[in-house]
Amino acid sequence: MTKTAAVIKGDGVGPELVEAMLKVANAAGTDVEFVMCEAGAGWWEEHGGNSLVPDETWQILDSSDACFKGPTTTPGGIGSPRSVAVSIRRKYDLYANVRPIKTFPNSNAPLGDVEMVCVREGTEGLYIGEEIQLTDDVSIAIRKITRTASGKIARYAFEEAKRRGYDTVVPIHKSNILKLTCGSFLEEVEKVAQDYPNIEVWPYHIDNIAQQLIKNPQIFNKKVLLSTNLFMDVISEECSALVGSIGLIYSANLGDNFAMFEPAHGSAPKYAGLDKVNPVATVLAGAWMLDYLGEKEKSEAIFKATERVISEGKYVTYDVGGNAKLSQMADEIAKYTAEILK
């Protein structure tokens, strides 16, 4: 049976990036049926309501095998809806947000070559968005950490290390201060670790690892970095800089029965329509989705073609040292993808 993927074009640079992803996927000869749908700040500003995701899109998501989300803008301020990504993660229990971090050949790695994977718990922490105003002066935010979710994301991290042949999981926490929340998270990681005797556990405080990733990032090569929602949101962004551009970082949000794929970066509205930003994160997120949907060979071809384009350096965007347009880089990736699969 043909697999279907709901595709959200998103805001800002989202539509042109998603167009590039679809161009490359079609060059690979994908059999996946892409179903376009709406979500994001642009849709919400026109239609209003308490969600950035319309009912029609939820219906499409419910009947799809996976979701691809282009970058979306999240309005700020009191009373505005939660983000598209958080909404989808929570509805489908996409508890593992995964960002592979790996230097591309012949690219500008500011602190040397790196290879690691960031694994982030995606359903709780401060991202539940529950805040309480106690007085005119005092507001508090609730950081929800459960042993159940901590155990699930820990097991995912150890399995990811096992799949990749990595030797260590690095749980990132602040249990010396947040004794209940970070304390229970770390305890659950250590419980799961007992089932993986060949994989080491290196606990790091959040402030220390932020420093170590700049001082000596190679000590984390071939390691899985693991943390709660906000901590890993910040640390994975720092790791993105280690490969030279967040425009190269693709990600997946994985649950037991559904998955959403997206570039790690935002919607960059100031660049919208300029045919300028790096398409790699979006294209490779799409390639990862093809793999998830059973098209491994086509996915691998897209990865190989992308590495070749970056390595050659002729058709790359400004953030990785070139002057090519978004569309030119995507065209070159699509061309090489088709050649590889001939």
Side-chain angles (χ1 to χ4, degrees), residues 121-143:
E121 200 292 317
T123 63
E124 52 182 38
L126 280 169
Y127 282 72
I128 63 172
E130 292 185 15
E131 299 176 293
I132 302 168
Q133 185 170 347
L134 298 179
T135 70
D136 289 343
D137 185 50
V138 180
S139 299
I140 62 172
I142 296 171
R143 182 179 189 244

Side-chain angles (χ1 to χ4, degrees), residues 111 116 209-215 217 220 235 238-239 242:
L111 299 176
M116 61 194 75
I209 200 167
Q211 181 232 154
Q212 294 294 337
L213 282 165
I214 301 301
K215 183 181 177 184
F220 301 107
I235 290 300
E238 183 182 5
C239 291
L242 297 176

Side-chain angles (χ1 to χ4, degrees), residues 293-311:
L293 294 175
E295 297 189 343
K296 189 172 185 63
E297 184 183 2
K298 294 168 185 176
S299 172
E300 288 176 348
I302 295 171
F303 274 91
K304 288 175 184 174
T306 303
E307 287 193 4
R308 181 174 167 186
V309 170
I310 295 171
S311 180

Side-chain angles (χ1 to χ4, degrees), residues 101-160:
I101 307 291
K102 186 177 180 180
T103 308
F104 283 86
N106 297 328
S107 64
N108 177 32
L111 299 176
D113 290 352
V114 294
E115 179 186 342
M116 61 194 75
V117 175
C118 294
V119 173
R120 167 187 173 194
E121 200 292 317
T123 63
E124 52 182 38
L126 280 169
Y127 282 72
I128 63 172
E130 292 185 15
E131 299 176 293
I132 302 168
Q133 185 170 347
L134 298 179
T135 70
D136 289 343
D137 185 50
V138 180
S139 299
I140 62 172
I142 296 171
R143 182 179 189 244
K144 177 185 175 184
I145 302 293
T146 66
R147 289 185 178 273
T148 300
S150 297
K152 282 174 71 175
I153 197 62
R155 191 161 299 278
Y156 183 92
F158 280 93
E159 286 293 325
E160 185 72 11

Side-chain angles (χ1 to χ4, degrees), residues 4 23 25 36 64 76 90 99 105 117 120 160 168 205-206 210 214 231 241-242 255 261 286 290 300 309 314:
T4 61
K23 179 188 295 180
M36 310 308 296
S64 297
R90 293 190 68 187
R99 293 182 178 182
V117 175
R120 167 187 173 194
E160 185 72 11
T168 306
H205 286 148
I206 177 69
I214 301 301
F231 284 174
L242 297 176
F261 300 83
L290 296 190
E300 288 176 348
V309 170
K314 186 177 179 182

